[in-house]
Amino acid sequence: MNENSIPRRETEQQQQRRAEMRVRPTGPIVPSANVSGHALMCVIAIMSFLACLTLGGVSMVRATAQSWQSQISREITIQIKPDDNLDMEKALADARDLALTFSGTTGGKIVDRAATARLLEPWLGEGLDLDELPVPRLIVITIDENNPPDFATMRKALTETIPQAFLDDHRTWVDRLVAMANTTAMIGSGVLALVFSAMVLTVVFATRGALSGNRHIVEVLHFVGAEAGFVASEFQKHFLRISLKGAGAGGLLAALSFAMASFWQSRTLATPESDQATALFGRFAIGYTGYLGIFAIIIVIALLTTLTARLTVMRTIYEIDLIRSDPGRTDTYQS
């Protein structure tokens, strides 16, 4: 036998022993996928989707109400009733010119005969002859919202110059619209608060329920000497991943819903369906603030789930220590 083969054989045996002694890659302490984890992820995704939808709906209602209020408050209307001794066209021009002399007015437009007939078509039909009916004529005056004119003085001047003229500043409609907008916003905010509270409670109890199924893992780790902070951090990382996946899926689905609704509305302009939806709900676009709100909800859900997991693990370890110090308390904490 060759003397050089003996050291070589010993070296190979040592390498083989070292290979056998190598530590296998450690798996996660908390199971990465189990029934509780999947159930919790679904619950978080559903509650996140509902909360994001409610937030987007409240944002759309606020934006639509502000748009209505702004459109009404930007214009006033002068109505001139027909009279046998009145030259309607001259009266319309005089009323418009008189209104434009007041500070705070930015423009004026006389609604012509064709436009007036179109306004009455839904009630009186097509081919309407305005000379046969005493139909009032309108003048639309655009005003500066930040510096409106003196409506009382303008109304008095119009009445003295043209007795058949009547100034409508839409103040009654604006007040009603502001009240309706505030009421709708309050109702939407209340619904959002209820949905968010239900989401918080659901996420907390679902997280605690998922942790109760893994209580034995906490007990084993604690009995072998793992520190409470280490055990809590492991569970914290696990539930952070679950909550981010669930909340991200729900928030993304809500954002896609608003984006698809906005895309559908933009592609179906001037159709009866789109006109009715726009009249009732306004534009379905929620803007960058709405998407930032969806992102904030995702972060809040993830932090809430993570904090609940950490507090639950710390409480479980505290109960285990109390049971070890006093075994008579086992029934109390298990119940």
Side-chain angles (χ1 to χ4, degrees):
M1 180 180 296
N2 190 358
E3 295 179 356
N4 295 330
S5 62
I6 298 176
R8 186 181 305 169
R9 190 172 298 172
E10 293 178 353
T11 304
E12 293 177 355
Q13 292 177 354
Q14 291 177 358
Q15 292 177 353
Q16 187 176 0
R17 291 196 194 98
R18 291 176 183 175
E20 293 176 354
M21 294 174 61
R22 288 177 184 173
V23 180
R24 295 180 179 179
T26 57
I29 294 178
V30 183
S32 57
N34 52 24
V35 177
S36 299
H38 291 309
L40 178 61
M41 189 183 302
C42 292
V43 169
I44 292 175
I46 293 172
M47 298 308 298
S48 174
F49 176 72
L50 293 177
C52 293
L53 276 187
T54 307
L55 176 65
V58 172
S59 301
M60 286 196 319
V61 169
R62 288 181 180 273
T64 303
Q66 291 176 359
S67 176
W68 288 347
Q69 179 181 348
S70 177
Q71 290 175 1
I72 291 180
S73 61
R74 281 201 304 263
E75 295 179 348
I76 60 175
T77 304
I78 299 175
Q79 180 183 141
I80 300 180
K81 298 179 181 179
D83 191 271
D84 295 337
N85 300 322
L86 179 68
D87 185 355
M88 180 61 72
E89 298 301 329
K90 184 178 182 302
L92 290 170
D94 292 342
R96 180 193 60 188
D97 296 338
L98 178 60
L100 293 178
T101 60
F102 285 83
S103 176
T105 59
T106 59
K109 178 183 178 182
I110 298 175
V111 181
D112 56 20
R113 297 170 65 88
T116 303
R118 285 196 299 269
L119 291 174
L120 298 175
E121 278 183 7
W123 294 273
L124 302 179
E126 299 180 358
L128 177 65
D129 188 1
L130 298 181
D131 295 330
E132 298 179 357
L133 295 174
V135 178
R137 298 289 299 279
L138 300 177
I139 305 170
V140 179
I141 303 296
T142 306
I143 64 174
D144 185 1
E145 297 179 63
N146 301 321
N147 184 28
D150 187 350
F151 297 119
T153 305
M154 184 185 295
R155 184 177 289 107
K156 181 179 179 181
L158 285 171
T159 304
E160 292 176 352
T161 305
I162 307 172
Q164 295 83 359
F166 172 75
L167 175 65
D168 185 3
D169 58 2
H170 309 302
R171 191 169 301 174
T172 302
W173 291 103
V174 171
D175 293 339
R176 291 180 180 178
L177 184 60
V178 170
M180 183 196 71
N182 293 334
T183 303
T184 305
M186 290 178 60
I187 293 174
S189 301
V191 172
L192 179 60
L194 290 176
V195 172
F196 199 81
S197 300
M199 179 197 68
V200 170
L201 294 176
T202 303
V203 169
V204 168
F205 285 109
T207 304
R208 294 183 64 179
L211 276 170
S212 64
N214 296 318
R215 181 187 177 93
H216 60 284
I217 301 177
V218 179
E219 295 177 350
V220 171
L221 291 174
H222 186 58
F223 287 150
V224 299
E227 296 182 357
F230 171 77
V231 179
S233 64
E234 290 297 319
F235 277 88
Q236 183 176 315
K237 295 176 185 177
H238 174 70
F239 282 94
L240 176 61
R241 288 192 294 268
I242 291 178
S243 60
L244 283 177
K245 291 179 181 179
L252 180 61
L253 185 59
L256 287 176
S257 299
F258 285 113
M260 292 176 61
S262 178
F263 177 76
W264 169 82
Q265 194 175 44
S266 63
R267 294 296 299 270
T268 57
L269 293 177
T271 60
E273 296 83 2
S274 180
D275 291 342
Q276 290 295 329
T278 304
L280 290 175
F281 307 106
R283 299 288 298 174
F284 285 112
I286 59 176
Y288 69 93
T289 55
Y291 291 107
L292 286 178
I294 291 176
F295 179 75
I297 287 179
I298 294 174
I299 299 300
V300 168
I301 292 176
L303 293 177
L304 179 67
T305 306
T306 304
L307 180 62
T308 303
R310 182 174 185 85
L311 293 178
T312 305
V313 171
M314 298 298 290
R315 180 183 176 183
T316 301
I317 294 176
Y318 175 73
E319 293 175 358
I320 293 173
D321 290 336
L322 287 180
I323 292 174
R324 291 178 63 186
S325 61
D326 186 2
R329 300 181 181 181
T330 303
D331 296 335
T332 301
Y333 286 107
Q334 287 181 348
S335 61

